[in-house]
């Protein structure tokens, strides 16, 4: 798959990867792709309920350059594992002096309850994900716009350690993120909820913690 975004005058990478389905260890993708973390982030913008994704996605990695392996371990259950480097809009590694360190992410998700019979088919979907990451250039920043992509960034930590006291004595070393997700559909009614938590290890200072969540519901007339 090769998908590019030409807005702004540049050919930015979106999904640019090569896939190898059905290998002995599962479906493999190599290239610039979404890390397997988060329900709404890994749902196409064609199928989300609102114009933009929720603010909690500021804590979700999005697209990076790396390798993922996906495997269906039961009828309605999937396990995805990935190894990534922080990448810019052209798929290039931007991890600076941490180029030898990788980010590791995994997601397990599935439908423990599903009924497609009758006039009102319904299913329940549950999932969990986790990520160990190393921040590029010894700093990091979480930010998101208020569900309108043209608006200013509403949720913004600023660059850390730059946003903390004595930044020269501090370095953002690594972080651990985890998330929980759920979705339920019955006939024309649907709802979903998601929670994301991020702990950051800062050498020489306090270790900040961030979290975000969303609950949404809809009905198709």
């Amino acid at each position: 798959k090769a998908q590019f975004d030409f807005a702004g005058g540049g050919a930015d990478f979106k999904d640019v990867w090569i896939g190898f389905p059905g290998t002995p260890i599962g479906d493999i993708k190599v290239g610039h792709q979404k890390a397997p973390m988060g329900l709404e982030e890994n749902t196409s913008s064609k199928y989300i309920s609102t114009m933009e994704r929720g603010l909690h996605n500021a804590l979700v990695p999005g697209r990076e350059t790396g390798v993922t392996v996906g495997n269906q371990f039961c009828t309605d259950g999937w396990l995805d594992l990935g190894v990534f480097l922080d990448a810019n809009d052209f798929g290039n590694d931007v991890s600076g002096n941490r180029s030898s360190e990788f980010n590791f992410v995994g997601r397990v998700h599935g439908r423990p309850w599903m009924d497609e019979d009758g006039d009102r088919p319904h299913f329940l979907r549950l999932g969990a994900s986790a990520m160990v990451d190393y921040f590029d250039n010894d700093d990091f920043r979480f930010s998101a716009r208020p569900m309108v992509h043209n608006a200013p960034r509403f949720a913004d930590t600023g660059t850390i350690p730059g946003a903390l006291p004595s930044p020269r004595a501090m370095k953002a070393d690594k972080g651990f993120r985890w998330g929980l997700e759920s979705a339920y559909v019955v006939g024309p009614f649907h709802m979903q909820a998601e929670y994301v938590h991020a702990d950051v290890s800062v050498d020489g200072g306090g270790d900040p913690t961030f979290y975000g969540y969303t609950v949404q519901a809809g009905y198709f007339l």
Side-chain angles (χ1 to χ4, degrees):
K1 182 178 181 179
Q3 178 188 0
F4 299 90
D5 185 352
F6 294 94
D12 295 348
F13 276 26
K14 291 296 185 179
D15 289 328
V16 182
W17 48 262
I18 296 176
F20 304 91
T23 74
I25 62 173
D27 298 335
I28 300 175
K29 289 198 298 185
V30 181
H32 196 253
Q33 58 189 292
K34 285 192 174 182
M37 184 174 187
L39 172 62
E40 197 172 43
E41 179 65 28
N42 279 275
T43 300
S44 170
S45 58
K46 296 183 292 185
Y47 304 123
I48 60 177
S49 298
T50 57
M51 289 290 291
E52 304 287 343
R53 295 179 174 88
L55 292 177
H56 68 288
N57 282 282
L59 305 177
V60 178
R63 288 181 173 91
E64 305 287 359
T65 296
V67 180
T68 59
V69 178
N71 210 324
Q72 186 173 355
F73 59 86
C74 64
T75 303
D76 289 304
W78 293 266
L79 174 64
D80 301 312
L81 301 174
V83 180
F84 294 91
L85 288 171
D86 292 326
N88 60 17
D89 290 338
F90 301 100
N92 296 322
D93 176 26
V94 294
S95 55
N97 61 354
R98 312 189 80 85
S99 59
S100 61
E101 295 181 339
F102 296 90
N103 303 328
F104 301 91
V105 59
R107 179 183 181 216
V108 58
H109 55 105
R111 296 178 298 225
W113 178 39
M114 183 171 182
D115 185 359
E116 296 182 290
D117 298 328
D119 297 332
R120 297 174 66 86
H122 54 268
F123 72 85
L124 173 68
R125 184 184 184 92
L126 300 174
S129 53
M131 180 176 185
V132 177
D133 51 351
Y134 295 87
F135 297 104
D136 57 309
N137 299 320
D138 294 329
D139 57 32
F140 72 96
R141 178 182 183 181
F142 293 132
S143 64
R145 294 177 173 86
M147 302 184 75
V148 179
H149 194 67
N150 292 329
R153 296 185 181 275
F154 181 74
D156 193 351
T157 65
T159 300
I160 298 177
L164 298 175
S166 304
R168 294 181 181 177
M170 297 183 180
K171 291 183 178 181
D173 182 22
K174 61 183 178 180
F176 178 72
R177 312 185 212 184
W178 58 272
L180 301 173
E181 61 191 63
S182 63
Y184 176 69
V185 174
V186 53
F189 175 78
H190 62 95
M191 67 176 300
Q192 69 182 57
E194 190 170 356
Y195 176 87
V196 185
H197 189 101
D199 293 311
V200 180
S201 175
V202 178
D203 293 340
D207 297 336
T209 297
F210 306 95
Y211 64 91
Y213 57 89
T214 180
V215 178
Q216 55 183 280
Y219 189 93
F220 290 98
L221 300 177

